[in-house]
């Protein structure tokens, strides 16, 4: 199973790199390459758009800040909420796939990355009792002269700031993410993304905003096979 997964990941990553490279953020490489010594974001260690030393900031809990952006302006995040926040940070900074959704007017940003509804719901559940003071993490902070972020408004629970997982996913990071109408052709920030990327990188997927039933069916079929193989691998290692 691992050999199958690694081979598939290599094929997908290769095609992504050749066409998209990396975003042009301040911590991004020009193109993806292996980072075997990553402290966090290891999902992307075989082909990463960030350097291993960047991930040191995410390696210990609680995470205080990433670069100049503080995560604890409304108190430390709970471990469950922090884990999801790390997944988003890792994807933006390190994923070789992020540039597939590069913003048309800002090459350091992403737009409309399709997230699975289940991921958004789980993320919301993990964070709903934590506190936050901005609706949009990209635009609503007050930044001081040293480039550090501060609250302009009072801290309130995530459950008051966002109505549900869909609202949070589609507004917390501006237009960076959207909730996919598909339950398979979407990202969950885990190994299952290898299945979805095979179809999300296809020409037909790029040319159409709609999801064909054949693509959905094929994706679901391969995902079930992947989950079965992964389960069997888990049984063998016990």
């Amino acid at each position: 199973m691992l050999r199958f997964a690694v081979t598939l990941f290599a094929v997908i990553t290769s095609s992504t790199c050749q066409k998209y490279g990396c975003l042009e953020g301040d911590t991004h490489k020009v193109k993806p390459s292996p980072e075997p010594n990553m402290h966090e974001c290891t999902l992307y260690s075989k082909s990463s758009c960030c350097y291993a030393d960047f991930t040191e900031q995410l390696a210990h809990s609680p995470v205080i800040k990433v670069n100049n952006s503080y995560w604890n302006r409304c108190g430390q995040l709970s471990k469950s909420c922090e884990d999801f926040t790390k997944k988003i940070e890792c994807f933006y900074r390190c994923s070789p796939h992020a540039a597939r959704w590069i913003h048309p007017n800002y090459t350091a940003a992403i737009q409309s990355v399709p997230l699975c509804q289940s991921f958004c719901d789980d993320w919301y559940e993990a964070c709903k009792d934590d506190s936050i003071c901005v609706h949009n993490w990209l635009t609503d902070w007050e930044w001081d002269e040293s480039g550090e972020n501060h609250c302009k408004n009072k801290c309130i629970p995530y459950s008051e700031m966002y109505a549900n997982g869909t609202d949070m996913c589609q507004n917390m990071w501006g237009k960076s993410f959207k909730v996919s109408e598909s339950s398979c052709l979407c990202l969950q920030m885990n190994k299952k993304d290898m299945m979805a990327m095979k179809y999300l990188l296809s020409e037909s997927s790029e040319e159409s905003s709609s999801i064909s039933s054949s693509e959905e069916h094929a994706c679901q079929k391969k995902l079930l096979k992947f989950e079965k193989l992964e389960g069997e691998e888990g049984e063998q290692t016990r």
Side-chain angles (χ1 to χ4, degrees):
M1 186 288 271
L2 290 176
R3 188 178 303 159
F4 164 76
V6 169
T7 300
L8 178 60
F9 186 80
V11 170
I12 294 171
T13 298
S14 176
S15 62
T16 309
C17 298
Q18 291 172 9
K19 190 166 186 179
Y20 297 105
C22 296
L23 297 171
E24 295 185 6
D26 56 355
T27 61
H28 290 85
K29 300 177 184 177
V30 175
K31 61 181 181 179
S33 61
E35 289 289 335
N37 299 314
M38 294 176 84
H39 304 271
E40 193 64 63
C41 310
T42 54
L43 181 64
Y44 312 110
S45 63
K46 294 184 183 301
S47 180
S48 174
C49 279
C50 69
Y51 293 99
D53 58 358
F54 164 77
T55 64
E56 291 181 17
Q57 301 174 76
L58 302 171
H60 304 288
S61 183
V63 175
I64 304 300
K65 67 174 181 176
V66 177
N67 291 349
N68 285 335
S69 181
Y70 281 82
W71 287 17
N72 63 348
R73 291 309 192 194
C74 289
Q76 297 295 349
L77 296 177
S78 63
K79 184 61 168 61
S80 58
C81 184
E82 180 184 85
D83 286 344
F84 274 91
T85 307
K86 282 184 181 182
K87 288 177 185 291
I88 296 299
E89 192 75 32
C90 285
F91 175 81
Y92 171 70
R93 304 280 185 174
C94 306
S95 174
H97 303 141
R100 160 66 176 81
W101 295 279
I102 191 168
H103 194 288
N105 301 318
Y106 185 40
T107 54
I110 51 178
Q111 181 175 281
S112 300
V113 178
L115 297 180
C116 298
Q117 182 72 64
S118 59
F119 176 86
C120 292
D121 291 343
D122 290 345
W123 184 8
Y124 181 79
E125 188 66 27
C127 293
K128 67 179 183 180
D129 295 325
D130 287 72
S131 294
I132 189 172
C133 63
V134 291
H135 187 255
N136 184 333
W137 277 59
L138 299 178
T139 61
D140 294 352
W141 293 105
E142 182 174 285
W143 300 91
D144 64 22
E145 293 180 355
S146 62
E148 295 181 350
N149 61 317
H150 300 274
C151 291
K152 291 190 290 187
N153 302 302
K154 69 176 183 178
C155 296
I156 61 175
Y158 274 66
S159 59
E160 292 184 24
M161 185 67 75
Y162 307 107
N164 48 44
T166 298
D167 182 25
M168 187 177 76
C169 273
Q170 297 189 159
N171 290 288
M172 185 174 182
W173 294 101
K175 300 302 181 183
S176 298
F177 301 101
K178 67 176 183 179
V179 178
S180 175
E181 61 190 67
S182 166
S183 61
C184 188
L185 297 167
C186 54
L187 303 183
Q188 303 182 57
M189 308 303 174
N190 59 29
K191 290 180 179 179
K192 293 178 182 179
D193 289 354
M194 292 187 294
M195 299 295 105
M197 286 307 304
K198 178 178 180 181
Y199 299 95
L200 292 171
L201 291 173
S202 70
E203 292 298 325
S204 59
S205 177
E206 288 185 20
E207 293 169 358
S208 174
S209 59
S210 63
I211 298 169
S212 71
S213 58
S214 59
E215 283 181 323
E216 177 71 15
H217 179 73
C219 181
Q220 291 286 0
K221 187 176 180 180
K222 286 190 177 293
L223 180 59
L224 289 172
K225 182 179 180 180
F226 179 81
E227 291 175 338
K228 181 180 179 181
L229 289 170
E230 194 173 46
E232 291 174 352
E233 181 69 22
E235 289 294 330
Q236 291 175 8
T237 56
R238 288 180 185 175

